[in-house]
Amino acid sequence: AEFTRETGQPVSKYFDNDKFNQPDQPVVGVSWKEAIDYCSWRGKRLPTETEWEKAARGIDGRRYPWGNEPNPLKGNVRGMKDKFRYTAPVGSFSEGQSPYGAQDMAGNVFEWTQDWYEPYPGNDKVSDMFGKKFKVIRGGSWKADMDLARSALRGKAFPDQRSNYVGFRCAKDSSSKEN
């Protein structure tokens, strides 16, 4: 709300929807560009796809931020086992945090990344899905099952898409030379 008041940018598509605008819920219903604009306003940026995946998987390549076994009680995914029908307040699943302490990287909302949906380096597969058509989204959502919440799974969305299951997180460059 502060961002939209100060910048004159439009509110998110679900800003007035009680299912998605409760305190501490992630913002949904924003396009990729709107997410970029917000991050920039905060002096930050969207994470790259590589940064997002490392933050979720750590260095041991785990399937989910918490380990290799699926657990619908460690992330807000489709189903009622976690008690949330739609998005959950950020940080509701502390047992599902990543090795770096990042919260909500499996479920709740898919998250925009900076990157275009392209083949991985070394992949020579040709697909009409590649190119500057889709942006990569990561993490699964409240609407997705456990398989779509795997940390290595990459989704895609049109950059102008504004849906109730896609949000974002901001990233910031490290101020130290050590990473």
Side-chain angles (χ1 to χ4, degrees), residues 79-90:
M80 298 303 286
K81 291 181 182 179
D82 63 21
K83 81 178 179 180
F84 295 100
R85 175 63 184 99
Y86 299 101
T87 59
V90 173

Side-chain angles (χ1 to χ4, degrees), residues 67-78:
N68 291 320
E69 297 302 317
N71 186 333
L73 298 178
K74 291 187 177 183
N76 184 17
V77 294
R78 181 173 37 206

Side-chain angles (χ1 to χ4, degrees), residues 87-151:
T87 59
V90 173
S92 294
F93 298 88
S94 60
E95 290 184 23
Q97 70 182 335
S98 81
Y100 297 102
Q103 300 278 339
D104 302 319
M105 297 199 81
N108 221 15
V109 295
F110 277 102
E111 297 176 1
W112 291 113
T113 70
Q114 287 184 27
D115 299 314
W116 290 103
Y117 188 73
E118 296 281 4
Y120 287 124
N123 179 353
D124 57 2
K125 181 179 178 186
V126 176
S127 171
D128 60 354
M129 298 294 206
F130 297 146
K132 299 209 185 293
K133 185 185 298 187
F134 298 105
K135 286 294 187 176
V136 175
I137 55 174
R138 290 301 203 101
S141 78
W142 62 271
K143 236 177 152 172
D145 61 24
M146 285 303 304
D147 189 54
L148 293 177
R150 287 180 298 113
S151 298

Side-chain angles (χ1 to χ4, degrees), residues 4 11 14 16 27 29 34 47 57 68 84 97 107 114 122 126 149-150 152 160 174 179:
T4 60
V11 296
Y14 297 93
D16 293 325
V27 171
E34 291 164 338
R57 297 183 84 186
N68 291 320
F84 295 100
Q97 70 182 335
Q114 287 184 27
V126 176
R150 287 180 298 113
D160 60 350
S174 173
N179 288 328

Side-chain angles (χ1 to χ4, degrees), residues 18-111:
D18 289 342
K19 295 174 188 171
F20 300 103
N21 71 358
Q22 299 302 309
D24 300 323
Q25 280 180 299
V27 171
V28 295
V30 295
S31 70
W32 177 82
K33 175 73 167 82
E34 291 164 338
I36 290 275
D37 290 346
Y38 176 84
C39 291
S40 178
W41 178 74
R42 300 287 299 176
K44 300 178 181 182
R45 59 179 173 76
L46 288 177
T48 66
E49 180 180 11
T50 302
E51 289 170 331
W52 192 100
E53 187 170 333
K54 184 174 183 195
R57 297 183 84 186
I59 59 171
D60 58 357
R62 52 187 61 192
R63 290 177 57 89
Y64 301 94
W66 56 83
N68 291 320
E69 297 302 317
N71 186 333
L73 298 178
K74 291 187 177 183
N76 184 17
V77 294
R78 181 173 37 206
M80 298 303 286
K81 291 181 182 179
D82 63 21
K83 81 178 179 180
F84 295 100
R85 175 63 184 99
Y86 299 101
T87 59
V90 173
S92 294
F93 298 88
S94 60
E95 290 184 23
Q97 70 182 335
S98 81
Y100 297 102
Q103 300 278 339
D104 302 319
M105 297 199 81
N108 221 15
V109 295
F110 277 102
E111 297 176 1

